[in-house]
Structure formats: C-alpha cells, structure tokens
Amino acid sequence: MEKKTVGIFVPYALLVTALFSIFIISLNKVELKPFEMEYPEEAFLAPSFELLSLKGGPVQLADYKGKILFINFWATWCGTCKVEMPSMEKLYQRFKEYDFEMLTISVDKDISLIDPFLRQYNLTFPVLLDPKSEVAKKNYKTTGVPETFVVDKSGIIVHKAIGPRDWATDETMEAFAQLILGS
C-alpha cells in the first residue's frame, strides 16, 4: 500500500515543485547570476543602437535617456505580432504624454510593407528599421519575433518578454503606471 502512495506522491510533489519554481521565477525573485545568463537580460544595461526611423532620420537609444522604454522587435509577417499590436497601441496611447517611449523595431526586409501594416491596424507608435536584424540579433540576441524589452529610466532592462503579450490588461497598465509615474 505504501508503494502506491509513494508512487503517486512523487510525481505530484515534482509537479508542485516545478509549478512553485515557475511561480518564483515569474515573480523575478530568483537570484540573478550574471555570468550564467545570456546578455542582454533583466538587470543588465540595455545595449545601445542607432537605427533609421520609418519617418526618416537616425534614432539612438541614448536619445531616450531618462525615459521608460518599451522596445519591441516585430515583423509584418509575424502572426503573433499582429495579435499583440493593438494592446501595444493602447499602452502607447495611455503613457505617451509621460516619460515613456515605445520603440518598435521592424525586422522586415521589405520596408514598403510596414506603412500599410500600420494603417491596417491603426498603429501610431514609432517604428525603427532593422532590415538585416543586426540590432535584433547582435545587440539584443533575440530568438524571434515578437520580443520585448522594458527599460527603466537609468537604462536597465527590467523586463524581457519572449512571444506575444496582452499589454493592455489592468495589471500591466498598473505596473507601467508605477514604473513611469512612481520613479
């Protein structure tokens, strides 16, 4: 009888332990070990860059010193990017008048596709161009799109999201309000 109990208990205990570990990591309570993490990651300085804007002219990360930054790598052909973009627009509209900037970086090779895409989805946030994915791959070491980095006013990455998110939830809006208005 004890063997059956132990047999059931061990997988259950492993599941609980795994879920608890995921919960702790999601709360960002895990001790950072910089030499074991791939740069850039949370708690690291955001890598600098200079890219052309879709509207023309060069844009440098340093131009936004002292602001909360939302840096998002995306492409017009990316289905999950299309899913998260409306919520990004809501976030942008909510905080664009504050010390906040959304820098979306398109990795599209054909930049003629970007403006029609923005119009189709009624997107107004700034778009930077990285058609060779140099900043995406070399500076930010992205694994795909979408990938987002939230940077605090001192230039430190405070959040990294791989894959799409709903950026317009009440909890997310409150977190950004605290980050932008509380710092």
Side-chain angles (χ1 to χ4, degrees):
M1 194 67 118
E2 287 184 43
K3 288 183 182 180
K4 288 182 182 178
T5 305
V6 171
I8 294 171
F9 180 75
V10 172
Y12 179 75
L14 290 174
L15 177 62
V16 169
T17 303
L19 290 173
F20 183 73
S21 298
I22 291 168
F23 175 72
I24 293 297
I25 289 169
S26 72
L27 290 176
N28 199 21
K29 301 287 186 194
V30 68
E31 180 182 334
L32 294 177
K33 298 177 184 173
F35 297 108
E36 295 178 15
M37 300 174 76
E38 185 176 332
Y39 174 80
E41 190 62 72
E42 290 177 6
F44 283 91
L45 189 63
S48 64
F49 60 80
E50 181 174 327
L51 291 169
L52 290 177
S53 167
L54 182 62
K55 292 186 178 182
V59 173
Q60 295 180 4
L61 181 67
D63 296 340
Y64 300 96
K65 192 172 189 147
K67 291 189 173 205
I68 301 298
L69 298 178
F70 182 99
I71 302 170
N72 175 272
F73 292 91
W74 68 282
T76 58
W77 46 261
C78 166
T80 55
C81 297
K82 294 173 188 175
V83 170
E84 83 171 344
M85 292 251 170
S87 70
M88 288 170 47
E89 180 65 25
K90 288 177 184 174
L91 181 69
Y92 177 66
Q93 290 300 323
R94 169 69 177 88
F95 294 109
K96 70 180 184 177
E97 301 299 323
Y98 297 94
D99 286 337
F100 171 80
E101 190 60 65
M102 184 173 286
L103 299 176
T104 66
I105 302 174
S106 171
V107 297
D108 283 285
K109 292 180 185 354
D110 183 354
I111 62 172
S112 70
L113 300 173
I114 299 170
D115 201 42
F117 178 91
L118 296 174
R119 283 195 307 275
Q120 178 183 357
Y121 292 96
N122 298 314
L123 305 173
T124 63
F125 43 69
V127 176
L128 306 180
L129 307 172
D130 189 17
K132 294 180 182 176
S133 295
E134 291 175 352
V135 170
K137 297 292 182 191
K138 292 178 185 171
N139 295 38
Y140 283 80
K141 307 219 184 300
T142 59
T143 57
V145 290
E147 203 158 311
T148 303
F149 297 82
V150 178
V151 180
D152 72 10
K153 291 180 180 182
S154 61
I156 303 296
I157 298 169
V158 295
H159 183 69
K160 177 180 178 182
I162 298 174
R165 301 288 187 275
D166 181 351
W167 298 104
T169 65
D170 291 342
E171 295 82 14
T172 301
M173 290 289 194
E174 179 59 30
F176 272 92
Q178 289 179 10
L179 191 62
I180 295 164
L181 306 172
S183 45

